[in-house]
């Protein structure tokens, strides 16, 4: 079964009254508050806004990264606020190729929830001719009970050791990987041994996922084939979850280093590689 659902499929589920809870996970790193503003300008009817910075993350010291994992209790409280009940399917979407929606997918999947990502996001919904709403949805609280999360996450030490036994993917833009620029963190470069495969290269101009053969070929270029041990990181653990989503879609399981470069670069003594090679 695909991790993605089309706008037509989602509309059909909603029209039939299927047990589906839709969450809007729009978010911007430079303006975190903009996501809710965008939600209010037009969202899928019935969708609840999910706050990436406070519900899909927690806050800590810089040495923990920009988006440390929420506790299971925090995520469960958020899911219940979204109205998620036992047995519901959650469909997450955003406005940029599923990057932030994938964070919800990655966490909720660990919690035992049946979760999908809307292929094409809010743009795909509108392009299909479906209406949007502008209310701030506050549903009746749900009763979902989540399994413990965190089992698919790597610690900083595990991330450091990973290239010795598998492929560690750096999902950031190539210039950040090389260390040519670093707009968010104190040091530029990458974790030694990591290979660069920026997201969202696996999506078309309309934000829809590419075909399986193209995706597999892309990952094979950095050494990932079925059976390969693979993990991903990015700037703060959001885009890396998107890499894990794409890999899962083509049948490859991946771990995520949620602290990512924001944790690595704020931890004294961690080595840094620069240039276009793993190092």
């Amino acid at each position: 079964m695909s991790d993605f659902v089309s706008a037509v499929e989602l509309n059909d589920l909603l029209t039939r009254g299927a047990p589906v809870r839709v969450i809007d996970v729009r978010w911007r790193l430079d303006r975190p508050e903009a996501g809710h503003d965008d939600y209010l300008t037009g969202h899928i009817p019935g969708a609840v806004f999910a706050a990436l910075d406070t519900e899909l993350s927690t806050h800590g010291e810089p040495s923990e990264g920009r988006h440390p994992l929420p506790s299971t209790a925090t995520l469960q409280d958020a899911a219940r606020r979204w109205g998620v009940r036992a047995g519901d399917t959650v469909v997450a979407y955003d406005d940029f190729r599923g990057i932030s929606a994938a964070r919800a997918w990655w966490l909720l999947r660990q919690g035992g929830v049946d979760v999908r990502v809307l292929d094409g996001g809010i743009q795909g919904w509108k392009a299909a001719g479906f209406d949007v709403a502008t209310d701030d949805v506050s549903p009746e609280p749900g009763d979902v009970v989540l399994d413990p999360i965190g089992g698919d996450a790597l610690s900083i030490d595990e991330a450091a050791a990973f290239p010795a036994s598998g492929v560690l993917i750096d999902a950031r833009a190539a210039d950040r990987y090389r260390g040519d620029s670093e707009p968010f963190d104190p040091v530029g470069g990458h974790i030694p041994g990591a290979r660069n495969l920026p997201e969202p290269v696996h999506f078309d101009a309309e934000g829809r996922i590419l075909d399986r053969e193209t995706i597999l070929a892309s990952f094979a270029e950095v050494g990932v084939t079925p059976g390969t041990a693979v993990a991903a990181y990015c700037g703060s653990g959001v885009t890396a979850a998107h890499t894990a989503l794409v890999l899962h879609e083509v049948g490859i399981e991946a771990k995520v280093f949620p602290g990512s470069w924001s944790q690595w670069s704020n931890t004294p003594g961690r080595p840094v590689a620069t240039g276009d090679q793993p190092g």
Side-chain angles (χ1 to χ4, degrees):
M1 182 179 294
S2 177
D3 293 299
F4 292 85
V5 62
S6 71
V8 171
E9 290 168 333
L10 176 56
N11 183 68
D12 181 61
L13 290 170
L14 295 174
T15 300
R16 291 192 285 107
V20 174
R21 174 58 60 191
V22 183
I23 58 173
D24 185 311
V25 200
R26 277 180 276 188
W27 168 81
R28 284 177 52 176
L29 180 58
D30 59 338
R31 288 178 53 219
E33 73 285 351
H36 189 249
D37 293 341
D38 291 341
Y39 165 83
L40 292 175
T41 65
H43 56 78
I44 294 174
V48 181
F49 181 72
L52 187 144
D53 280 330
T54 58
E55 294 183 310
L56 301 175
S57 310
T58 188
H59 296 284
E61 298 299 320
S63 59
E64 297 178 80
R66 278 192 299 280
H67 293 111
L69 296 189
S71 67
T72 302
T74 295
L75 183 63
Q76 180 173 282
D77 287 345
R80 290 180 174 184
R81 185 189 73 78
W82 305 331
V84 181
R85 305 186 66 82
D88 282 356
T89 294
V90 173
V91 176
Y93 72 89
D94 57 39
D95 58 359
F96 189 64
R97 298 170 183 168
I99 293 288
S100 49
R103 173 77 171 205
W105 171 88
W106 183 66
L107 290 172
L108 290 171
R109 178 172 172 261
Q110 293 178 65
V113 176
D114 178 25
V115 57
R116 304 283 186 271
V117 171
L118 178 61
D119 200 17
I122 187 66
Q123 297 95 330
W125 178 265
K126 292 177 180 177
F130 300 127
D131 293 335
V132 296
T134 58
D135 55 336
D136 200 348
V137 178
S138 181
E140 180 180 343
D143 61 4
V144 68
V145 177
L146 299 187
D147 297 333
I149 65 170
D152 289 342
L154 296 183
S155 69
I156 191 170
D157 290 334
E158 290 170 331
F162 201 89
S165 58
V167 176
L168 180 63
I169 294 174
D170 184 319
R172 297 174 301 158
D175 62 330
R176 295 182 67 193
Y177 172 84
R178 293 191 303 266
D180 297 345
S181 66
E182 182 44 67
F184 305 110
D185 296 311
V187 179
H190 58 269
I191 296 174
R195 298 176 180 273
N196 189 216
L197 185 59
E199 288 291 359
V201 297
H202 301 115
F203 289 73
D204 64 20
E206 284 72 46
R208 295 182 176 86
I209 191 166
L210 299 177
D211 63 275
R212 174 183 173 83
E213 290 71 24
T214 299
I215 292 170
L216 286 172
S218 175
F219 281 114
E221 290 180 0
V222 294
V224 176
T225 56
T228 304
V230 58
Y233 76 93
C234 54
S236 64
V238 176
T239 306
H242 191 260
T243 299
L245 166 66
V246 174
L247 282 164
H248 189 263
E249 179 70 4
V250 296
I252 300 174
E253 295 294 331
K255 299 285 188 179
V256 170
F257 171 33
S260 286
W261 190 248
S262 59
Q263 180 180 19
W264 188 275
S265 62
N266 278 288
T267 302
R270 293 291 172 176
V272 172
T274 56
D276 59 5
Q277 297 301 310

